[in-house]
Amino acid sequence: MAGPTGPGHSLGAARNDLLRAQVTPRHRLASYSAKHWHAQLSQLTGTRRGYEALESAGLDVRPDTLFKWLSDPEHNIRRSYRDLIHTAYENVAIVPADPISGTVKDGQFEISGLVKTGADERERGTGRAAPLRIDASRGDWSDIEALWLAGDLRDDDFEDRFIDDVIVADIGEGTDRWEFSGSSYSVELR
């Protein structure tokens, strides 16, 4: 039985597609798009989570001051207060990524697409060559997960880290460095 599969134009893109289908990535809530401090403050004070974010950011003003700010969008407040409001707003707007699950880090992966190591270059996952099978449990996922949690796991970084930290850890360097220079890949989690 086939497991979750991620397609992509590169190994990194296919890996990222599969990971995003399995684990919630860091993302911004669409409803948080206000630019002006007053609109941000109005939205924050509409929820308990918003008030908590303002408090965590260090905004400490009396309730009557807050009421004055909310009732007049042209009120002139100090830059430091605007910065605290903006910080609180961003803290609420950004949803952190879930950690990469054990199912992914300990999974068995089948990679289909053009794979080269040394003089051996084959289109894997076809009738002529089996997919490249990787036991991810042998790999070191710490750098990949750090980039994932920060929202900075780009396709090319994922590909490089996956090769160096997971593929090489499982099956070794091969006769030469692993290369995935094709234009279409599929990664299946088993």
Side-chain angles (χ1 to χ4, degrees), residues 19-175:
L19 186 58
R20 289 182 192 296
Q22 299 300 304
V23 186
T24 303
R26 182 174 192 248
H27 63 282
R28 182 178 190 85
L29 295 172
S31 59
Y32 284 82
S33 59
K35 302 291 183 215
H36 191 266
W37 70 266
H38 185 266
Q40 291 177 349
L41 182 62
S42 295
Q43 191 169 2
L44 287 170
T45 56
T47 65
R48 178 183 186 106
R49 186 170 170 234
Y51 273 108
E52 290 169 355
L54 286 166
E55 186 178 308
S56 294
L59 185 67
D60 186 23
V61 296
R62 296 189 345 234
D64 61 323
T65 301
L66 192 58
F67 180 74
K68 191 184 318 178
W69 292 353
L70 287 168
S71 61
D72 182 7
E74 299 303 319
H75 188 79
N76 190 18
I77 67 170
R78 284 189 282 190
R79 174 81 178 162
S80 61
Y81 286 136
R82 287 188 305 231
D83 289 346
L84 291 174
I85 292 167
H86 179 73
T87 298
Y89 192 78
E90 290 303 307
N91 288 342
V92 171
I94 301 297
V95 177
D98 289 339
I100 298 175
S101 69
T103 303
V104 172
K105 291 193 274 191
D106 296 333
Q108 305 293 312
F109 292 97
E110 290 189 355
I111 300 170
S112 298
L114 187 63
V115 179
K116 179 181 180 183
T117 183
D120 182 12
E121 182 175 37
R122 299 182 251 179
E123 188 71 34
R124 304 296 295 255
T126 66
R128 298 180 64 203
L132 178 62
R133 291 185 174 91
I134 303 299
D135 179 358
S137 67
R138 298 179 184 196
D140 177 4
W141 286 82
S142 57
D143 288 343
I144 293 171
E145 187 156 38
L147 289 169
W148 170 258
L149 292 172
D152 293 332
L153 189 57
R154 296 186 326 263
D155 293 347
D156 55 342
D157 291 332
F158 201 172
E159 183 169 319
D160 292 343
R161 294 285 181 196
F162 190 75
I163 291 168
D164 294 343
D165 300 343
V166 180
I167 293 176
V168 171
D170 180 32
I171 57 180
E173 188 68 43
T175 56

